Amino acid sequence: FLLLAMTSHSINAFLVLFSQRQGVSSNIGYFFTVSAISMLVTKLLIGKLADKYGVLKAVTPALICYAAAFLLISYSRTLPMFLLAAFLTSFGFGGCHPALFALCMKSVPEERRGAASSTTFIGIDLGSLVGPVIAGALAERLGYADMWRIMIVPNVVAILMLVLFRNRMEQAGNEAHGAV
């Protein structure tokens, strides 16, 4: 959640400034409209896919789309490009957030769900804090386009963590529910 929040809040902090430099500032508000509508649909879709195929199989493609959105943003020069990036962002973030939260709750015993929930939200809060600070420093030193490209790194790290720790996460979920 820390990694997702870092990148998500960087979009909120810098997209309008970047779009102004790209000459698309007058209608960039549609990015957030498309993002919100797409996120509603995505959360329903990914939830069903996670139930049917497992959280990890549903989240991995969503994370890949989320990373691709940052690459697309970095090259966006027109409103349609930004709107496609909005859809990819929502598919990625909207798909990951509820599925990963469910995985967190599944991986702990019922009596520890309050602590697990709080820990999850602390990760989100820390990501909200450090993401825009790091992104701002990158934008100042390298420019916005490179900042967007570098913000793909937290997404790649999240994908690698899912792949590397998949068995451990599944085992923790099974142990928390007595299905050893």
Side-chain angles (χ1 to χ4, degrees):
F1 284 99
L2 171 91
L3 299 170
L4 292 174
M6 284 175 62
T7 54
S8 172
H9 286 85
S10 297
I11 291 172
N12 294 341
F14 296 105
L15 185 77
V16 171
L17 295 172
F18 179 65
S19 69
Q20 287 174 341
R21 289 188 180 215
Q22 302 303 89
V24 185
S25 62
S26 64
N27 294 316
I28 198 63
Y30 289 126
F31 178 97
F32 299 101
T33 303
V34 167
S35 182
I37 293 168
S38 299
M39 199 168 299
L40 289 172
V41 174
T42 297
K43 286 183 180 183
L44 294 171
L45 174 68
I46 296 292
K48 290 179 182 181
L49 291 173
D51 289 343
K52 185 172 182 174
Y53 299 107
V55 171
L56 300 174
K57 287 182 181 175
V59 167
T60 303
L63 278 171
I64 292 168
C65 285
Y66 194 47
F70 285 86
L71 186 61
L72 182 58
I73 289 171
S74 77
Y75 288 104
S76 290
R77 305 280 184 267
T78 65
L79 184 61
M81 290 177 76
F82 278 106
L83 297 182
L84 178 58
F87 173 77
L88 289 174
T89 299
S90 296
F91 181 79
F93 185 81
C96 292
H97 192 264
L100 289 175
F101 191 80
L103 180 65
C104 290
M105 295 302 106
K106 179 184 172 192
S107 67
V108 297
E110 190 172 326
E111 64 273 6
R112 299 288 303 151
R113 288 189 182 152
S117 177
S118 294
T119 302
T120 299
F121 284 106
I122 288 170
I124 293 170
D125 293 341
L126 287 173
S128 302
L129 172 69
V130 300
V133 172
I134 292 169
L138 290 169
E140 186 176 322
R141 289 178 190 242
L142 305 172
Y144 286 110
D146 286 336
M147 180 263 306
W148 295 118
R149 292 176 195 131
I150 292 171
M151 293 309 285
I152 294 170
V153 172
N155 295 306
V156 171
V157 170
I159 293 167
L160 291 174
M161 289 175 67
L162 278 175
V163 170
L164 293 173
F165 297 108
R166 185 184 92 213
N167 292 337
R168 185 183 281 178
M169 288 185 278
E170 290 172 351
Q171 182 181 2
N174 291 335
E175 288 174 2
H177 296 288
V180 178

